[in-house]
Amino acid sequence: MLSRRGLLAGSALALLAGCSSAPSGPPPGPPATSPPTGPTPLSAPVTVQRMHSAARGTDVELVLITPDGVPASGLPVCLALHGRGARARTFLDLGVPEALTKAVHAGVPPFAIAAPDGDHYWVNVGKNDDPQRMLSDEIPVWLTQRGLKAPAAVFGISMGGFGALRFARAHPDLKATAVASAALFVSWPDARARKVFADEAGWRAEEPLLHPADIRGANLGVWCGESDPFLGADRKLVNAVSPAVARFSPGKHEDAYWRGVLPDVLEFAGRRITPAG
């Protein structure tokens, strides 16, 4: 079920050129063959727009969230990457619009959140579908067309944590990387069981735990529940990169835990990506 703000924002979706207020299930009909043309200003705290991603070879939904009562133009942006089996709208279900507005009203510098649809642990696994290329090449263009800045931070949940760390490896200039219950794999048999990676070489090229030198611990925050199946892998990440924040607390691999840590994650990202002064 969408949050109250997500529902209220539904009426604003019609203001966006090419925008559709599709239901939460898979979009009907064949994907569009070309992206919407021309800039589309962000005109509501929550907007949802279908975009065609050439990098992914399909349509995706792009969810944009800004703090209520704050002008959107020029805001820095934090990417939000969902978990396996979820979609970009998951961040509406988790209450991100309300949590972001509350954080900003409490003194966190304003910023925007951009959540796209992804898959395959947010990496190219040889299916003509490259989520990382979408994040690096297409989303900055989509954001600047809406008066927002290119991503300066990334936040990922579960599978999205894997993707966020992979994105951070390719973008060392990011000001913040935050992961909650990151789905990481300490061995090839562990990764192979997910039936995502084509082979061991492909997994080794992408697995964040195998490339700790590429991850800037000073800009990293790690959260994980103490009853989460990825707890051991996330502890290994913490030991390897010495993140700025590492918080392990009671919780499972579930929405209730992620809602609970969301205020900390938003404060972590917001205080790092907004330019001083």
Side-chain angles (χ1 to χ4, degrees):
M1 180 178 295
L2 292 179
S3 66
R4 181 176 62 84
R5 187 166 302 285
L7 290 171
L8 291 175
S11 61
L13 302 185
L15 298 177
L16 296 175
C19 179
S20 64
S21 54
S24 58
T33 57
S34 61
T37 58
T40 306
L42 185 62
S43 57
V46 176
T47 61
V48 181
Q49 185 171 11
R50 285 187 72 189
M51 306 295 296
H52 183 74
S53 169
R56 296 206 55 212
T58 188
D59 279 9
V60 299
E61 283 193 337
L62 178 67
V63 175
L64 297 176
I65 304 168
T66 59
D68 196 9
V70 175
S73 180
L75 286 180
V77 174
C78 178
L79 290 175
L81 310 185
H82 62 75
R84 192 174 188 182
R87 297 179 61 191
R89 293 188 187 219
T90 293
F91 292 99
L92 302 182
D93 298 335
L94 291 175
V96 171
E98 292 86 354
L100 179 60
T101 294
K102 184 175 181 179
V104 170
H105 287 177
V108 173
F111 67 101
I113 292 174
D117 289 334
D119 205 350
H120 317 309
Y121 281 80
W122 293 91
V123 297
N124 185 352
V125 294
K127 298 181 179 180
N128 296 317
D129 182 348
D130 191 344
Q132 286 291 318
R133 185 158 68 88
M134 175 186 69
L135 297 178
S136 295
D137 297 346
E138 296 178 324
I139 285 186
V141 176
W142 299 344
L143 294 177
T144 56
Q145 288 176 342
R146 287 151 183 80
L148 297 168
K149 295 182 179 179
V154 61
F155 164 49
I157 293 174
S158 189
M159 177 187 81
F162 188 108
L165 292 166
R166 185 63 185 87
F167 185 75
R169 286 176 54 200
H171 299 273
D173 56 336
L174 285 178
K175 296 181 179 180
T177 300
V179 296
S181 312
L184 307 177
F185 308 105
V186 299
S187 69
W188 167 235
D190 191 17
R192 182 175 55 196
R194 297 286 162 167
K195 302 184 186 301
V196 172
F197 303 96
D199 51 36
E200 183 174 358
W203 164 70
R204 286 187 172 276
E206 306 292 355
E207 174 59 56
L209 289 177
L210 299 180
H211 302 274
D214 295 342
I215 300 171
R216 296 182 61 189
N219 296 332
L220 175 64
V222 179
W223 288 260
C224 190
E226 292 172 337
S227 298
D228 193 293
F230 293 105
L231 177 63
D234 285 17
R235 287 193 184 278
K236 186 173 182 179
L237 173 69
V238 167
N239 292 336
V241 303
S242 299
V245 173
R247 293 179 182 164
F248 301 99
S249 58
K252 301 178 181 179
H253 200 84
E254 61 184 10
D255 287 358
Y257 174 77
W258 300 322
R259 288 191 188 98
V261 301
L262 189 56
D264 283 349
V265 170
L266 295 177
E267 181 166 4
F268 174 85
R271 296 209 180 274
R272 285 165 172 77
I273 69 174
T274 303

